[in-house]
Amino acid sequence: MLSRTASGLYWMARYLERAENIARILDVTNRLSLMPVSGSHDDELLLPLNLTGSTELYYSLNGELTMAQLFKFFVLDERNPGSIFCCLQSAWNNAHAVRGSLSAEVWESINASWIDMRRIRRQGLTTAGADAFFDWVKERSHLFRGAMFGTLMRGDAMSFIRLGTLLERSDCTARLLNLNQILLEQHADSVREYYRLDTLLRAVSAREAYNAIFKQELMTENVCEMLILRSESPRSLRACIEEIDNQLGLIGSSGENRPRYLAGVLHAEMRFSSYPALTREGLCHWLNRFLDDINALGESINHTYLEAK
């Protein structure tokens, strides 16, 4: 496969996953901002800005921090490259460039999403329709994955799409866990802690999985263990790394294979370690190291497969 084709497939998948992740994060932020609190809501409203590193850009374009402005910034603002509108636009551009490597159903799912997104932007959208919009973004992402698994040939195209999806997903899950831990350490409130844990699980569609695995009330350590080490949960870090390792093994490569080495080391650490051992130096410390490892893996994949030689 040509490197530019692999790159188009990989980034198409990353941008689609990123759009879904932003919708999930905004959903969490909106729910948290509705909680009654005596002080400021800024901690909750800053969540998506801190996750995406776009605080400076937001304040340069908006005068104050409100849920309505935040919603507009992350959904429709084309000046924000991390908005859902821009992510779907970039995903469509990459999909159009590699149209010949996609099945008709996969292409139609992406094309229909982009057409609908442009219509939504023309008509305008407010926080009153936020819940329905977030559900629409997640539904379009599910349709894409369903079409991909159901119609795309098992080969390099599938592998590069999966790599893009899983790298983006693991990065988002780790950042959510990290920020949740920071908020917990800053504000020790059992009621807010429970609500944050509940919204965190719902953000990654893991509430039912938690109930099935632990069969007890929400506890921070259990939630973190599940989203880090339990491979039964498809959005856990271990599940993502395990599948990344598998997909790299399916891509043909001769000589040194740095991406597979990095993924294999990270997979082995998570497979043969316990939660207390991983977090002995602190959860935030381990999560920051994990994010560094994921970034290194992404750079290695880019250098090995996606750059023209």
Side-chain angles (χ1 to χ4, degrees):
M1 176 176 285
L2 294 174
S3 59
R4 65 173 177 269
T5 302
S7 179
L9 293 165
Y10 172 87
W11 284 108
M12 173 196 75
R14 288 204 71 154
Y15 280 119
L16 286 171
E17 182 70 18
R18 189 172 300 175
E20 181 186 356
N21 289 337
I22 292 170
R24 291 177 180 275
I25 292 164
L26 285 175
D27 193 14
V28 168
T29 304
N30 190 43
R31 292 174 187 274
L32 288 175
S33 69
L34 297 176
M35 286 185 65
V37 60
S38 57
S40 170
H41 285 291
D42 283 1
D43 286 342
E44 282 78 16
L45 294 180
L46 283 170
L47 176 64
L49 296 175
N50 290 335
L51 275 168
T52 58
S54 52
T55 305
E56 184 177 342
L57 176 62
Y58 175 86
Y59 281 112
S60 70
L61 299 174
N62 300 277
E64 57 181 342
L65 184 61
T66 65
M67 190 61 217
Q69 290 290 347
L70 204 63
F71 183 76
K72 179 181 178 182
F73 178 72
F74 276 109
V75 172
L76 301 175
D77 198 336
E78 62 182 1
R79 298 170 298 177
N80 173 19
S83 68
I84 293 175
F85 176 84
C86 288
C87 286
L88 291 179
Q89 182 181 50
S90 297
W92 185 89
N93 287 336
N94 279 284
H96 187 266
V98 295
R99 173 70 181 85
S101 298
L102 303 174
S103 65
E105 289 81 0
V106 171
W107 163 251
E108 285 301 325
S109 72
I110 297 172
N111 193 45
S113 297
W114 176 231
I115 291 172
D116 287 348
M117 185 71 242
R118 287 188 297 173
R119 175 182 54 78
I120 290 170
R121 189 168 185 270
R122 285 196 304 270
Q123 293 175 350
L125 189 66
T126 66
T127 52
D131 288 343
F133 176 76
F134 297 148
D135 288 341
W136 174 81
V137 175
K138 288 183 278 188
E139 177 186 317
R140 297 309 307 181
S141 183
H142 296 161
L143 285 172
F144 161 73
R145 280 195 291 273
M148 178 192 66
F149 280 117
T151 66
L152 202 61
M153 289 181 60
R154 270 48 180 173
D156 285 350
M158 169 75 85
S159 292
F160 282 111
I161 290 173
R162 293 295 291 150
L163 286 176
T165 297
L166 294 161
L167 279 168
E168 192 69 31
R169 181 178 298 175
S170 59
D171 181 87
C172 180
T173 300
R175 290 177 186 275
L176 277 171
L177 283 168
N178 203 11
L179 281 174
N180 181 74
Q181 185 64 21
I182 292 172
L183 288 174
L184 174 62
E185 293 173 358
Q186 290 177 344
H187 306 284
D189 181 330
S190 59
V191 175
R192 295 182 73 80
E193 177 185 354
Y194 182 91
Y195 198 71
R196 284 193 187 114
L197 291 174
D198 183 68
T199 53
L200 171 62
L201 287 174
R202 294 184 188 282
V204 295
S205 299
R207 191 62 170 90
E208 293 81 3
Y210 181 90
N211 293 335
I213 292 173
F214 293 103
K215 298 180 175 64
Q216 58 182 277
E217 66 180 20
L218 293 181
M219 296 175 59
T220 299
E221 185 172 307
N222 288 345
V223 170
C224 292
E225 179 185 349
M226 188 184 78
L227 294 181
I228 291 174
L229 289 179
R230 300 301 290 259
S231 57
E232 305 99 308
S233 179
R235 287 183 175 268
S236 74
L237 302 184
R238 179 179 168 184
C240 292
I241 295 301
E242 184 175 3
E243 184 60 16
I244 288 171
D245 194 19
N246 291 338
Q247 293 300 327
L248 286 171
L250 296 175
I251 298 174
S253 178
S254 58
E256 180 184 359
N257 194 325
R258 182 69 177 171
R260 193 173 184 191
Y261 168 78
L262 294 174
V265 170
L266 192 53
H267 182 205
E269 178 189 18
M270 303 181 76
R271 182 181 177 188
F272 298 111
S273 293
S274 64
Y275 178 75
L278 283 179
T279 59
R280 187 174 292 117
E281 297 182 34
L283 178 58
C284 288
H285 180 272
W286 186 84
L287 287 169
N288 285 328
R289 183 166 64 83
F290 177 86
L291 287 168
D292 289 340
D293 290 341
I294 282 292
N295 288 334
L297 177 56
E299 290 174 3
S300 182
I301 289 172
N302 185 67
H303 176 72
T304 303
Y305 300 113
L306 310 182
E307 293 178 351
K309 298 295 191 291

